[in-house]
Amino acid sequence: LSPFCIKLETFLRMTQIPYDTALGYPAQAPKGKLPYIEYGGNIVSDSSMIVDFLMDTFDVSLDVTLDNRQTAVGRAFQSMIEEHLYFAIVFFRWQDEEGWNSYQSFVTQTIHQAGAPMWLASTLAKMSRKSVLKSLLAQGTGRHRATEVATLARQQISAISNFLSTKPFFLGEKPSSMDATVYAFLESILVPPLDNPLREHASTLTNVVTYCERMRNLYWSDIKIPMQFWAAATPLSEQ
């Protein structure tokens, strides 16, 4: 559901910081969003603030070899990905009717697995959609046509691909904390079987696909990709 959760867990795996996962509920989260962590009596929200907190607390850094230019470029791309590309992902999952028709069953199944009966899970999924659409409208992406959102998103994905070029990792020869962000969002586009312009475009970029495979093999080799869940999910009509 959330590339920001994938980002945080990828960072934890990259730094080998021990952790346990738990079901999270945005309504109960300190800032109304996931992820957040609990550690040593502290509750920390926002994936970037959590990463900074963990690096300070555990005295780990994936970025010690980065120079000022690399750091600046990473910050700029992070802003583009998290403040712009993210909302295109949300648009084609929640607002685009074809995307929602595919995504709705996954949202409902997730709510049901969290403990809600199926009839309630379906209602909550629709209520969640209304909330997301309201946020998209306020943010601005929801005011555009699907073709316009797709054009902007393709430009952003191409920018990621062009900068990545033939490098093994986003900022160079060694992985950095930026790779947790880039991987999380690209994987959120490529893996879920939601046919949309973002996935269609990203799938044609060989270096993007191989980059995700490299990161997956390095840090997620013990986990089957989420597509296995989608394939096994029972259609709502059969519940």
Side-chain angles (χ1 to χ4, degrees):
L1 286 173
S2 169
F4 292 100
C5 292
I6 301 174
K7 166 190 169 181
L8 175 57
E9 191 164 359
T10 300
F11 174 82
L12 288 165
R13 286 167 173 259
M14 292 174 74
T15 54
Q16 299 183 346
I17 295 174
Y19 67 95
D20 292 312
T21 58
L23 285 174
Y25 303 94
Q28 299 175 2
K31 296 183 179 180
K33 293 185 177 182
L34 301 177
Y36 69 92
I37 66 165
E38 297 180 24
Y39 179 78
N42 296 298
I43 297 178
V44 187
S45 302
D46 187 277
S47 60
S48 294
M49 294 181 182
I50 295 170
V51 166
D52 290 342
F53 171 82
L54 292 173
M55 287 196 292
D56 291 341
T57 301
F58 288 88
D59 193 25
V60 296
S61 178
L62 298 170
D63 303 334
V64 291
T65 62
L66 300 182
D67 58 29
N68 289 339
R69 178 183 176 279
Q70 289 172 309
T71 300
V73 169
R75 291 290 185 186
F77 267 101
Q78 181 177 346
S79 179
M80 182 194 77
I81 291 169
E82 296 187 356
E83 303 298 334
H84 296 279
L85 183 58
Y86 167 68
F87 289 102
I89 295 173
V90 173
F91 181 95
F92 281 103
R93 289 182 177 187
W94 294 87
Q95 181 160 323
D96 179 71
E97 289 297 333
E98 185 176 348
W100 174 246
N101 287 339
S102 299
Y103 194 56
Q104 180 181 6
S105 62
F106 178 66
V107 176
T108 304
Q109 290 280 0
T110 302
I111 296 172
H112 176 55
Q113 288 183 340
M118 184 55 70
W119 66 268
L120 179 58
S122 180
T123 300
L124 291 174
K126 294 174 183 177
M127 290 175 60
S128 296
R129 188 193 189 200
K130 289 182 179 180
S131 177
V132 171
L133 294 186
K134 184 178 179 180
S135 296
L136 274 176
L137 187 67
Q139 184 270 338
T141 301
R143 301 172 187 270
H144 299 314
R145 295 191 297 270
T147 54
E148 296 171 330
V149 177
T151 296
L152 294 172
R154 281 193 290 261
Q155 292 171 350
Q156 293 155 13
I157 295 169
S158 292
I160 294 171
S161 173
N162 291 336
F163 182 78
L164 177 63
S165 186
T166 59
K167 299 191 297 294
F169 301 101
F170 193 68
L171 292 176
E173 297 298 315
K174 295 182 178 180
S176 68
S177 62
M178 186 61 195
D179 287 293
T181 298
V182 176
Y183 169 74
F185 282 79
L186 291 179
E187 197 79 325
S188 294
I189 292 170
L190 285 169
V191 170
L194 300 171
D195 292 329
N196 59 54
L198 282 64
R199 189 180 192 222
E200 179 182 350
H201 181 59
S203 298
T204 67
L205 303 173
T206 303
N207 65 337
V208 165
V209 174
T210 56
Y211 168 81
C212 285
E213 291 174 347
R214 182 179 304 113
M215 289 290 294
R216 194 183 308 131
N217 290 336
L218 281 171
Y219 303 113
W220 288 92
S221 61
D222 60 314
I223 303 294
K224 290 184 180 296
I225 60 174
M227 193 177 295
Q228 299 299 321
F229 172 83
W230 289 78
T234 303
L236 293 180
S237 60
E238 298 180 13
Q239 294 292 335

